[in-house]
Amino acid sequence: MSQKQMKEAFVSNHNGTSVLEVTEGLCLPALCILGRGLLIILSQHLRSSHTWRTPFFIDFAFIIVPVVTTLTIFSSFVLLEYLAVIIFGAGLFYQIYCRRTCYARMPIKKIHEKFLKVSLESEHIPAISCFRVINSAFTAVAILAVDFPLFPRRFAKTELYGTGAMDFGVGGFVFGTAMVCPEVRRKYTKGSRFYYLIRSLYSVWPLVFLGMGRLVIIKSIDYQEHLTEYGVHWNFFFTLIFVKLITSLLLIIFPLNKSWIVAVSITVLYQLALDFTPLKRLILYGTDGSGTRVGLLNANREGIISTLGYVAIHMAGVQTGSYVLKKRSHIKDWIKAAYLILLTAIVLFIFLYIIQVNVEVASRRMANLAFCIWIVASCLILLSSLLLGDIILSFAKFLVKGAAVPCSWKLTQSPATDKKHSESLVSEPEGKKPTLCLITAINRNQLIFFLLSNVTTGLINLSVDTLHSSNLWAFFVLNLYMFTNCLIMYVLHLQDKTIKYW
């Protein structure tokens, strides 16, 4: 076998892992982000001074390193990671509570009552930014780590059925993008529907360029590919293009608050088509039943047909985004919202179990009903974890005068709260300079981060024998790779640069 064939075989024919293990790995960064916020508050309380480098290294250590270790050396010890992070966070919170500068002599019950009356400045929801960055970090680490023996094969993309950690990447990206799409943000409120459709069509031209560029480069250098992922010519960018175009049309026809009905309808009808028509056989074996790749449809059947599943995931993300971005005034309203999202995720996981037992197991290759439910449920449980973590972090900020944490809610004074402590709630001056925050930096240029990760992954694969690399060397390369990509995004952010051509 050639080196290319060996690498293709190394990432193919895998059956994934359990839904629980993937969920555990996904939600760990939410705890780490909470721990990072508590550490920042405590360091401010202790009057620790630092330059721009310190916030970067703190963010990298708490956000990126746990993702790398969870997908590699600590993949079998995730529960121990949870325990360590919980103990560390509890210790930080205890120190903050003991050193609190607000309500120092007030019992905890009274403090809690006052906290529930505090308002939040919720123009931007930090949990959504964190969600998008966590998904980007997982994807960036996984696309390179999968080529090393250090990466557990159960986390690789599944061949036909199953749930691997890498299977979450595209679905999570689609869901995260949908939560902040122009329709949810009411960006196109003026003009006719025809004008809105033209704007949507125009917005996909960079994706066309990127998709065609990736196709040409991959074919010209004979780079290894996982053929059954999308097909011969199809790739992630082409899926995004068609998802964007189809959902734009759907959101012209259907009201925004009915997106969940559209999502359910598409997935159910699609699953019925898989079960009762030759569609499933077409995806798996082509038009002649022998796995042919002759003709455009046969060559790219997985990518073309699975787009329907990603359209449903996008519509579910639109519904979630419109709910989360709804105006809420008090902390208690956000607590209710977080619990409702968590409850919805639990219900979806129950449905997932029923469907996988009685209908069909999740399949990334087909993006079937079980796959769509799994993606949406996983996204919702991660989002609810981030919301609950930010609420806990807000309580910690509530206890320390002038405490400020980048990419977290700003507390504002509620009329029902004592005016005596109003200064402590609103004194979070950030000025006009970019905040020293890796989360904000990656979220600001998320597509560039993804492209940079793909380019550096290709360069490393062309220059390093990944198949025969030791675990120590692989772990070093992965951390250096992520450090370089994150530092570039951080410098762009410090220079106040947003790379966008549409």
Side-chain angles (χ1 to χ4, degrees):
M1 293 176 70
S2 66
Q3 185 77 357
K4 176 189 174 184
Q5 290 173 326
M6 288 173 64
K7 288 190 173 185
E8 288 176 345
F10 190 60
V11 299
S12 302
N13 301 312
H14 299 296
N15 298 317
T17 183
S18 67
V19 171
L20 179 60
E21 186 173 23
V22 177
T23 305
E24 288 173 351
L26 268 179
C27 293
L28 179 64
L31 271 179
C32 294
I33 288 173
L34 173 58
R36 163 246 191 198
L38 294 173
L39 180 63
I40 291 172
I41 292 173
L42 187 61
S43 66
Q44 290 173 350
H45 182 77
L46 298 175
R47 301 290 188 268
S48 299
S49 59
H50 48 69
T51 62
W52 66 267
R53 297 178 185 86
T54 305
F56 173 77
F57 280 106
I58 290 175
D59 285 355
F60 187 82
F62 277 85
I63 300 166
I64 305 301
V65 173
V67 174
V68 177
T69 57
T70 300
L71 291 174
T72 55
I73 58 175
F74 290 157
S75 59
S76 299
F77 306 98
V78 177
L79 292 180
L80 287 178
E81 289 187 271
Y82 268 95
L83 183 61
V85 174
I86 289 171
I87 292 173
F88 178 75
L92 290 174
F93 188 85
Y94 177 75
Q95 289 295 321
I96 292 169
Y97 182 76
C98 291
R99 299 168 185 265
R100 65 189 184 278
T101 56
C102 299
Y103 311 106
R105 299 185 180 182
M106 189 175 289
I108 184 66
K109 187 177 180 180
K110 289 289 185 181
I111 297 175
H112 180 257
E113 289 176 358
K114 288 185 175 295
F115 175 65
L116 292 179
K117 297 176 183 178
V118 169
S119 298
L120 298 170
E121 184 185 330
S122 57
E123 181 181 352
H124 301 286
I125 311 302
I128 293 180
S129 299
C130 292
F131 175 96
R132 287 159 56 83
V133 169
I134 288 171
N135 186 65
S136 294
F138 260 103
T139 303
V141 173
I143 60 175
L144 176 59
V146 70
D147 296 313
F148 290 95
L150 179 61
F151 186 80
R153 295 301 95 189
R154 67 184 186 278
F155 288 170
K157 290 180 179 178
T158 55
E159 191 65 27
L160 180 54
Y161 291 108
T163 50
M166 289 189 71
D167 292 329
F168 177 80
V170 179
F173 189 93
V174 170
F175 190 93
T177 303
M179 285 196 291
V180 292
C181 69
E183 295 88 349
V184 172
R185 291 182 285 120
R186 311 285 182 177
K187 191 174 180 179
Y188 304 146
T189 55
K190 296 180 180 180
S192 65
R193 292 185 175 184
F194 177 75
Y195 169 77
Y196 160 68
L197 183 59
I198 295 299
R199 288 291 299 268
S200 298
L201 291 172
Y202 174 75
S203 69
V204 303
W205 76 260
L207 296 175
V208 175
F209 174 78
L210 294 171
M212 292 302 297
R214 187 184 189 280
L215 174 62
V216 171
I217 292 170
I218 292 296
K219 298 301 179 183
S220 62
I221 65 175
D222 199 29
Y223 193 76
Q224 66 265 15
E225 298 179 85
H226 190 182
L227 191 64
T228 59
E229 182 178 358
Y230 295 110
V232 178
H233 312 103
W234 203 269
N235 59 52
F236 169 69
F237 297 108
F238 294 144
T239 295
L240 289 184
I241 291 166
F242 282 90
V243 167
K244 173 64 178 174
L245 295 177
I246 295 171
T247 54
S248 296
L249 287 171
L250 290 173
L251 290 170
I252 288 175
I253 300 170
F254 299 99
L256 201 68
N257 61 354
K258 304 299 182 184
S259 298
W260 69 274
I261 298 177
V262 179
V264 171
S265 301
I266 291 172
T267 50
V268 171
L269 291 173
Y270 178 45
Q271 185 63 50
L272 289 173
L274 289 173
D275 290 338
F276 298 105
T277 71
L279 187 61
K280 183 187 296 185
R281 184 174 178 81
L282 170 63
I283 296 173
L284 300 182
Y285 307 111
T287 53
D288 63 357
S290 62
T292 180
R293 291 287 174 180
V294 178
L296 185 63
L297 176 60
N298 282 318
N300 306 286
R301 54 183 184 266
E302 294 91 350
I304 293 171
I305 300 174
S306 67
T307 299
L308 287 172
Y310 291 111
V311 168
I313 291 170
H314 187 281
M315 296 302 288
V318 168
Q319 183 71 53
T320 303
S322 60
Y323 174 74
V324 174
L325 292 174
K326 190 165 62 174
K327 188 71 176 178
R328 293 177 178 84
S329 56
H330 296 102
I331 283 281
K332 60 183 179 182
D333 298 324
W334 280 107
I335 294 174
K336 291 177 182 177
Y339 277 123
L340 181 60
I341 294 171
L342 179 60
L343 181 62
T344 305
I346 293 170
V347 171
L348 285 176
F349 276 121
I350 293 171
F351 273 114
L352 174 62
Y353 175 78
I354 295 170
I355 288 167
Q356 292 207 118
V357 170
N358 297 288
V359 181
E360 188 175 40
V361 177
S363 171
R364 168 200 52 82
R365 191 169 171 183
M366 293 184 283
N368 59 359
L369 175 61
F371 176 81
C372 294
I373 293 177
W374 171 57
I375 293 294
V376 174
S378 300
C379 290
L380 291 181
I381 203 162
L382 174 58
L383 182 62
S384 62
S385 300
L386 290 165
L387 284 170
L388 291 171
D390 218 0
I391 289 167
I392 296 171
L393 187 59
S394 297
F395 183 67
K397 290 165 65 177
F398 181 70
L399 299 175
V400 178
K401 184 176 182 179
V405 178
C407 199
S408 67
W409 271 315
K410 297 178 183 178
L411 307 183
T412 59
Q413 184 63 43
S414 169
T417 312
D418 289 343
K419 294 181 180 180
K420 179 180 178 182
H421 301 284
S422 60
E423 292 183 3
S424 68
L425 299 180
V426 296
S427 59
E428 294 191 23
E430 295 185 0
K432 295 183 179 179
K433 295 182 179 180
T435 55
L436 303 176
C437 178
L438 182 59
I439 297 173
T440 306
I442 296 176
N443 186 59
R444 181 175 186 172
N445 285 299
Q446 188 183 25
L447 185 57
I448 300 301
F449 179 75
F450 178 75
L451 288 174
L452 180 63
S453 300
N454 274 269
V455 171
T456 48
T457 293
L459 292 175
I460 292 170
N461 264 286
L462 293 173
S463 57
V464 175
D465 183 6
T466 57
L467 294 180
H468 301 96
S469 297
S470 66
N471 288 347
L472 183 61
W473 171 245
F475 188 69
F476 171 76
V477 170
L478 284 169
N479 278 288
L480 180 61
Y481 151 82
M482 288 302 295
F483 183 86
T484 304
N485 293 343
C486 290
L487 184 60
I488 292 172
M489 294 299 104
Y490 200 73
V491 170
L492 283 174
H493 176 61
L494 293 181
Q495 297 295 322
D496 202 21
K497 302 292 185 182
T498 301
I499 301 177
K500 192 172 183 180
Y501 301 102
W502 64 96

